[in-house]
Amino acid sequence: MSARPGAGARLADGGLIDRTRTLRFRFDGREYAGHPGDTLASALLAHGVHRVARSFKYHRSRGILSAGFEEPNALVELGEGDARVPNTPATTIELFEGLDAQSQNRWPSLRFDLRAVNRLFSALLPAGFYYKTFMWPAAFWERVYEPAIRRAAGLGRASGAPDPATYERSYGFCDVLVVGAGPAGLAAALGAARSGARVWLVEADCRAGGRLLAERLAIGGEPALRWVEATVAELESMPTVRVLRRATAVGRYDGGVYAILERVGADRAQSAPFEPRERLWHVVARHGVLASGAIEQPLVFENNDLPGILLAGAVRAYANRYAVLAGRRVVVATSCDDAWATARDLLRAGASVEAIVDQRPAAARGPGAWAPDGVPVETGWLRRARGRDRVRAVEIEAASGRTRRVACDAIAMSGGWAPQLQLATHLGERLRWDGAAQCFAPESWPPDLSGAGAVCGEFGLAAALAAGARCGTGAARALGFRATDLVLPAVEPDRPLQTVPSRAARAVRAAFVDWQNDVTIADVQLAVREGFAASEHLKRYTTLGMATDQGKTSSLNGLIALAEATGRRLEELGPTTHRPPVVPVTIGALAGRHRGRHYRPTRLPPAHAVAADLGAVFVETGPWLRAQVFPRAGDRGWLDAMCREVNTVRRAVGVCDVSTLGKVDVQGADAPEFLERVYASRIATLAIGRVRYALMRREDGFVMDDGTVARLGERHYLLSTTTAGAVDVYRHLQYCRQVLWPDLDVRLASVTDQWAQFAVAGPRSRELLGRLVEPGIDLADPQFPLLAAGSVRLGDGTAARLFRVSFCGELAYELAVPARAAHRTLERLFEAGAPLGVAPYGLEALGAMRIEKGHVAGNEINGQTTAADLGLGRWTTKDGDSVGAVLARRPGLADPQRPRLAGFVPVDRAQRLGAGAHLIALGAPRDAAHDEGYLSSVAYSPTLGHWIGLGFLRRAAERVGERVLAHDPLRGRDALVEVVETPFVDPRGERLRG
Amino acid sequence: MRIPCPFCGLRGHEEFVVDGDATVTRPAPGRPDAPTAAVRFVYLRDNPAGWHREWWFHAFGCERWIVVERDTVTHAVGRVWSAGDPAPGEDR
């Protein structure tokens, strides 16, 4: 393998790329070509393109630093228009035909960036600069400073348009989940899978192999990738194994739950039909094996962010996997053995290694630190890189103190490898510094998670394979599978010595610790001087490690710098807390299919289609769609429709679908006793065939819900609840039955969905129902009086239930039919009622009529009102131990000064009222201290011809006839109102009785 | 978090609704200190760091209220039993 002279940086042969095919792509509008197997980063490097971004704060030219997910610099926008995805690392973008990427954070162009002048002022932009400078005046922050700073500093742009791609959520279950398909992960998966355990192997890359893809290693005497391919093939042949590629385990949660982001369509411009762009897996694993490897750390020296300065392992990956030379004259700088392999691989590929600079004296180096003859080896440090948009030279400071300058076009640096332990700490586990292994390690592993390979500081191929096999078989055995030990192929013994830099940096100017957030060593030192000397404080003050890469290449150097600046050892400093996700997750993947209409389920009452045919305008009430009004041609607005509907009910007959009300069927010998305990109202005296209004209280004494209780038989009751309260009330009833009184013989079933219910209301409602029920059924008063309840058979044979209850104050019934009969029954009501002038009415009319009648609803039963507040004290028992009875009697709730429900009308009848307006005595200051209550519900009353309201007012009963101010600062609309008694309409209830 | 429902087996916590402290008991009716006891029952809660008993309702399952022993520090789930039953190994 050798570099072709003058033909870009692509090597003439080698690499895991398909040279038989060429892929064309665009970067910042320019055409390039690459091969299948390339990433965007490797394809750009093959063309000699190093500078791909401008930095976040100082707008410095930045190049490709890494070859993986840890990339802090080379973030690009992918795609155009509404499909644009910002902040994607070029090092993880698989090249495909027609790929179109844009650099970010530059204006107007990458080459000529106006905001690069920030660099000239870098001394003026230290850590905490924004906090300190843009403090005054406070109002300027939101309007002037923040938008300007964001425009100048922002990362990529979101498109602002709906994402045309689809995303989905999937669920999986396995015995052993192996994270990472490097040598350790493959051995672990194989060891567990051969026992018959259900194994999932997830790999972030598009190929299995991990570091083996980037190395020139042998397993069993053959190239290591042969072993990788054979192992993957064996795993994929087993029905109990699932191998996910392009899948990153991003979070670990209680109970062995893992979130895994699968980038399904990452290798193509357009997803296949019905294929999601990304899939978020929710996988439950009985045991996890973490084989997520380690990430190489950079070195800190002046101008260490110049394009052309890469991690040593990345230089090796580009040479071996992508057949691309990151440079032809390379300086290798390191604090550990591993980077020496980069020098050897570069030499083999035909590049020149200008120097190997190891911070350790020769005696402190390990067996991996050897170089072919003729390569200059120096014990020392890099002091300063030179160059503008690409590194041109570097100043080396030898241990002796002598400084020399070496020309180069690339620097391969290594500050050691940091294990990727995020998943091991997501549940609050702590890490400690392991001085011997020179890396962080968990204080202890949780029982359902183990680690294998580099993630445990076991660097080297032999160690990784052995640890993986041990973990995989161990996990399977612990779960009860019979696992046999793997016979591992022979590999060359290798024990690279890992050492992190013993001091942070040789310079303070423009020596970067965090590339993505532009945090320098000087910022760290400043933070320490200002007292932010704990790692979590340092992070928040300097933003070190807070960018989208979450400190993958900066946290360790930040800690080393902090240790040095405070004279402490790494053992004394805890790393900052890792929280999910490990890599950025698109909002689309989190949302999955729950977008727009699918954000939550829509519930439709069973006769919804009938209302739709009648031209209803629907409104969301919780999950339900309910008819709001039924407009007709000529209506000037919803108010016209509402008034017509109310007038129809008050003069003829109207029908309203009330199926959404909660319904609970209660049966059992102790049902009367149970209901007596859960309702504040008296139930024991309710006779068979009768229905009663009833209040339910919470244990704290406030009203929880209201509804009706119908007694259908000796041991059989049917409860109704409000629409909004249906779920909570049912759960509460089950709590009362199961937890409070498990000895009562009573059973509950929610039948909300099983029964449809229609309010048939108005003076002609009896006549209308008479046309529906079987001939011979008498609905007249003596047979079916007010508050009667019973079974009736309809003319078409439907077994229905009829309740003589009224919410609107007219002669009215509620007719309940099984859901399957809902549609035809509602149609039949309108057919049979046509000669009687029937019309449908919606929620607006329902609400106006209940306010006219002074009935309370959700605005009044708001969790802060008692039965007495609501004027419903007569509906509660004075004695007894029903839920909430004891605390309803406490002095605070029994206080007569509490605001009570009353009616309100505007003194100027033409004036409109607003719910939420506060009630203030005439002449009193309009402030909170003089607040005496509020309007809870208002409506235009078609019956009275003006606005009316319900509200709560102190000592309301004594103040009927008094005028108070309804103060509405939100709408800027005050109204003089008069306190009146309710109901507003038909106070003696004569219409109710028909 | 996963909860071993005594009726449905090991299920995701999304199927449940939690309702807090299961160590408090509703005071018996008619006792002389009823108001004080009721305030204690409704409002006063310990906040232990460690093992705790909580009421969970298997809303998207068997609709049973169950007691779950849970470590509030580690989120580990211990014993689980049905409302109305004594804790395993304990007298009612």
Side-chain angles (χ1 to χ4, degrees):
Chain A
M1 197 159 59
S2 62
R4 235 181 321 154
R10 184 78 80 184
L11 298 170
D13 49 46
L16 305 174
I17 50 171
D18 175 5
R19 292 169 195 263
T20 63
R21 284 172 56 210
T22 298
L23 302 173
R24 281 160 307 161
F25 68 99
R26 293 162 72 86
F27 178 67
D28 276 350
R30 250 190 89 177
E31 290 261 1
Y32 297 94
H35 298 295
D38 262 327
T39 62
L40 175 59
S42 70
L44 286 170
L45 286 176
H47 289 273
V49 177
H50 274 260
R51 182 184 58 190
V52 292
R54 288 276 177 175
S55 76
F56 177 65
K57 194 157 126 189
Y58 303 126
H59 290 253
R60 291 169 66 96
S61 290
R62 287 286 165 82
I64 293 157
L65 178 74
S66 74
F69 285 84
E70 65 272 30
E71 177 61 37
N73 287 341
L75 304 187
V76 300
E77 290 173 353
L78 208 52
E80 262 309 309
D82 53 7
R84 187 171 69 215
V85 179
N87 299 336
T88 312
T91 49
T92 66
I93 297 170
E94 294 170 51
L95 203 64
F96 50 78
E97 178 67 28
L99 182 145
D100 187 5
Q102 305 277 330
S103 60
Q104 301 183 161
N105 204 25
R106 82 289 189 271
W107 187 80
S109 78
L110 191 56
R111 201 173 64 77
F112 178 73
D113 182 273
L114 283 178
R115 292 197 186 93
V117 295
N118 276 9
R119 261 189 297 185
L120 304 178
F121 303 116
S122 64
L124 303 175
L125 290 172
F129 173 73
Y130 296 118
Y131 300 137
K132 292 170 189 162
T133 310
F134 297 106
M135 296 267 289
W136 185 91
F140 264 44
W141 177 253
E142 248 176 65
R143 294 207 315 269
V144 182
Y145 296 143
E146 197 184 1
I149 293 168
R150 283 193 183 281
R151 225 181 0 259
L155 287 171
R157 308 157 297 159
S159 78
D163 188 343
T166 58
Y167 301 82
E168 70 181 24
R169 179 86 63 92
S170 284
Y171 295 82
F173 299 84
C174 63
D175 296 310
V176 180
L177 170 70
V178 181
V179 177
L186 286 167
L190 196 61
R194 282 188 182 164
S195 75
R198 294 170 303 163
V199 173
W200 279 47
L201 174 62
V202 301
E203 168 54 52
D205 203 294
C206 61
R207 288 183 74 139
R211 270 309 292 179
L212 294 176
L213 296 167
E215 308 284 356
R216 304 170 54 82
L217 295 171
I219 294 180
E222 294 196 326
L225 293 182
R226 293 241 179 100
W227 178 81
V228 170
E229 277 158 25
T231 304
V232 171
E234 179 178 346
L235 288 168
E236 291 195 314
S237 72
M238 299 187 215
T240 50
V241 174
R242 181 154 200 165
V243 181
L244 285 187
R245 294 175 186 80
R246 304 183 177 95
T248 310
V250 292
R252 176 175 147 254
Y253 305 92
D254 293 309
V257 175
Y258 294 78
I260 294 166
L261 180 70
E262 185 186 6
R263 288 168 296 274
V264 180
D267 60 337
R268 42 200 180 273
Q270 198 79 44
S271 294
F274 306 108
E275 182 189 67
R277 188 172 154 295
E278 293 179 346
R279 183 182 287 130
L280 192 63
W281 287 96
H282 179 115
V283 174
V284 180
R286 296 171 69 198
H287 191 91
V289 175
L290 199 53
S292 43
I295 285 178
E296 197 167 29
Q297 301 299 302
L299 293 173
V300 184
F301 53 92
E302 188 173 332
N303 296 333
N304 59 346
D305 63 330
L306 276 175
I309 303 179
L310 287 80
L311 295 169
V315 171
R316 205 147 86 235
Y318 287 117
N320 293 331
R321 178 173 179 178
Y322 302 106
V324 171
L325 280 183
R328 285 166 194 287
R329 296 157 62 219
V330 185
V331 169
V332 176
T334 184
S335 68
C336 62
D337 282 9
D338 184 70
W340 290 67
T342 300
R344 296 193 290 270
D345 286 358
L346 283 172
L347 288 168
R348 196 183 290 111
S352 154
V353 174
E354 304 296 312
I356 299 178
V357 185
D358 197 321
Q359 300 180 352
R360 307 166 299 174
R365 295 176 197 152
W370 63 272
D373 289 344
V375 177
V377 175
E378 191 100 52
T379 300
W381 308 70
L382 300 191
R383 169 173 278 284
R384 179 184 298 125
R386 296 278 189 183
R388 182 158 185 84
D389 294 324
R390 176 83 188 262
V391 61
R392 298 285 167 225
V394 64
E395 289 169 22
I396 299 168
E397 178 188 325
S400 61
R402 187 176 50 90
T403 302
R404 73 184 176 102
R405 183 173 169 144
V406 175
C408 61
D409 62 358
I411 297 174
M413 61 179 167
S414 177
W417 293 74
Q420 289 304 288
L421 284 160
Q422 293 97 330
L423 287 180
T425 63
H426 277 173
L427 297 182
E429 297 91 344
R430 290 177 185 282
L431 300 178
R432 58 167 174 75
W433 181 254
D434 180 341
Q438 289 279 291
C439 60
F440 280 102
E443 280 181 358
S444 64
W445 286 87
D448 62 349
L449 185 71
S450 44
V455 76
C456 292
E458 297 162 316
F459 300 103
L461 178 55
L465 287 173
R470 195 174 61 238
C471 274
T473 51
R477 282 185 196 126
L479 297 174
F481 294 91
R482 293 166 64 101
T484 43
D485 288 340
L486 285 189
V487 180
L488 288 170
V491 297
E492 269 189 52
D494 55 339
R495 273 273 166 205
L497 188 62
Q498 145 98 353
T499 327
V500 300
S502 56
R503 55 176 291 193
R506 306 302 289 180
V508 293
R509 288 192 66 242
F512 284 86
V513 178
D514 185 326
W515 273 243
Q516 206 176 76
N517 265 353
D518 264 358
V519 179
T520 65
I521 200 84
D523 293 325
V524 175
Q525 291 166 353
L526 175 69
V528 170
R529 282 203 303 280
E530 297 193 344
F532 300 96
S535 54
E536 296 282 2
H537 294 165
L538 174 73
K539 167 178 167 176
R540 281 155 184 81
Y541 193 60
T542 62
T543 71
L544 193 159
M546 289 174 71
T548 63
D549 64 349
Q550 289 285 289
K552 289 184 179 64
T553 54
S554 60
S555 288
L556 183 58
N557 278 330
L559 283 172
I560 292 171
L562 180 61
E564 186 179 24
T566 58
R568 286 178 290 180
R569 298 181 309 138
L570 279 173
E571 283 84 344
E572 301 167 59
L573 298 172
T576 53
T577 309
H578 292 302
R579 295 182 184 85
V582 173
V583 296
V585 178
T586 56
I587 297 291
L590 293 174
R593 303 266 178 194
H594 299 274
R595 293 167 57 170
R597 205 163 63 77
H598 299 292
Y599 177 63
R600 64 175 180 192
T602 304
R603 297 184 76 181
L604 301 177
H608 172 83
V610 179
D613 285 348
L614 290 166
V617 172
F618 292 97
V619 61
E620 285 183 27
T621 59
W624 293 98
L625 273 193
R626 298 186 69 183
Q628 185 178 21
V629 281
F630 293 83
R632 285 187 193 166
D635 285 348
R636 282 162 303 170
W638 66 270
L639 194 60
D640 283 359
M642 184 274 274
C643 290
R644 180 182 57 246
E645 291 166 24
V646 169
N647 291 334
T648 306
V649 173
R650 298 241 182 267
R651 289 167 198 163
V653 57
V655 176
C656 181
D657 190 340
V658 294
S659 301
T660 61
L661 295 178
K663 307 171 205 81
V664 183
D665 195 280
V666 181
Q667 301 192 36
D670 292 325
E673 174 65 20
F674 175 75
L675 296 175
E676 187 72 10
R677 293 184 192 182
V678 296
Y679 278 104
S681 311
R682 170 111 315 144
I683 306 297
T685 54
L686 184 66
I688 296 170
R690 301 287 293 169
V691 57
R692 178 174 292 175
Y693 178 73
L695 287 174
M696 198 177 279
R697 274 192 294 237
R698 301 191 308 231
E699 199 69 90
D700 64 5
F702 291 97
V703 174
M704 178 182 187
D705 202 62
D706 68 345
T708 61
V709 179
R711 189 167 192 179
L712 303 178
E714 180 65 34
R715 307 159 52 142
H716 188 188
Y717 292 80
L718 183 72
L719 321 181
S720 74
T721 75
T722 59
T723 299
V727 171
D728 289 347
V729 167
Y730 179 68
R731 187 164 69 228
H732 169 73
L733 291 173
Q734 288 288 12
Y735 172 86
C736 293
R737 180 180 85 79
Q738 298 177 29
V739 176
L740 299 184
W741 306 300
D743 297 329
L744 291 183
D745 174 16
V746 61
R747 287 291 180 272
L748 311 171
S750 168
V751 293
T752 304
D753 289 328
Q754 281 70 22
W755 289 84
Q757 198 148 312
F758 308 112
V760 183
R764 307 190 79 171
S765 57
R766 181 183 292 147
E767 206 178 335
L768 169 53
L769 281 169
R771 296 179 179 201
L772 244 73
V773 297
E774 266 189 341
I777 297 181
D778 188 0
L779 297 176
D781 247 352
Q783 280 71 35
F784 209 78
L786 187 64
L787 299 176
S791 299
V792 291
R793 193 165 289 277
L794 303 187
D796 62 4
T798 303
R801 289 168 177 169
L802 194 62
F803 310 91
R804 184 153 163 213
V805 291
S806 174
F807 200 42
C808 62
E810 302 296 325
L811 170 71
Y813 301 81
E814 287 190 10
L815 176 69
V817 295
R820 64 180 175 278
H823 190 102
R824 67 166 189 264
T825 304
L826 189 54
E827 280 186 335
R828 180 87 192 97
L829 277 167
F830 290 120
E831 282 163 25
L836 305 174
V838 74
Y841 65 102
L843 279 189
E844 291 294 344
L846 190 78
M849 288 189 284
R850 72 100 184 160
I851 295 171
E852 288 181 337
K853 290 301 293 179
H855 290 316
V856 295
N859 287 7
E860 286 74 38
I861 302 180
N862 56 19
Q864 301 176 25
T865 49
T866 65
D869 297 343
L870 296 166
L872 297 173
R874 68 184 186 283
W875 292 104
T876 61
T877 55
K878 294 284 170 285
D879 51 353
D881 185 46
S882 65
V883 172
V886 172
L887 288 187
R889 289 195 285 265
R890 59 183 147 154
L893 295 196
D895 184 357
Q897 288 291 317
R898 284 179 66 85
R900 294 284 177 93
L901 189 79
F904 299 87
V905 294
V907 172
D908 170 4
R909 295 286 197 266
Q911 213 171 358
R912 188 176 176 163
L913 298 181
H918 283 259
L919 301 172
I920 291 170
L922 287 189
R926 299 173 203 180
D927 57 25
H930 296 83
D931 187 3
E932 294 200 273
Y934 59 97
L935 292 181
S936 52
S937 300
V938 301
Y940 177 79
S941 165
T943 314
L944 301 175
H946 59 79
W947 284 79
I948 56 174
L950 295 175
F952 296 92
L953 178 69
R954 282 187 195 284
R955 296 177 290 106
E958 308 161 19
R959 299 170 74 171
V960 172
E962 188 182 323
R963 290 176 174 189
V964 294
L965 186 71
H967 177 47
D968 193 347
L970 267 185
R971 301 181 183 88
R973 202 169 62 197
D974 287 4
L976 192 60
V977 295
E978 187 183 326
V979 186
V980 298
E981 284 182 332
T982 59
F984 296 91
V985 169
D986 186 27
R988 294 166 65 187
E990 284 154 357
R991 306 172 67 88
L992 186 64
R993 286 174 176 80
Chain B
M1 200 168 82
R2 312 267 296 160
I3 296 173
C5 173
F7 303 98
C8 308
L10 194 59
R11 316 293 301 178
H13 71 91
E14 306 87 349
E15 295 183 6
F16 297 81
V17 176
V18 67
D19 197 44
D21 200 336
T23 64
V24 289
T25 0
R26 189 169 191 268
R31 52 192 275 185
D33 64 340
T36 325
V39 166
R40 248 194 331 264
F41 169 63
V42 172
Y43 293 110
L44 298 189
R45 294 287 181 273
D46 287 334
N47 184 18
W51 286 103
H52 194 36
R53 291 180 181 184
E54 292 170 336
W55 287 116
W56 289 75
F57 180 60
H58 200 180
F60 300 98
C62 58
E63 293 193 340
R64 283 300 299 188
W65 280 91
I66 59 175
V67 181
V68 176
E69 276 187 343
R70 192 174 69 88
D71 189 318
T72 58
V73 176
T74 65
H75 298 185
V77 173
R79 297 180 302 172
V80 172
W81 63 95
S82 172
D85 289 349
E90 290 175 21
D91 290 334
R92 181 176 286 225

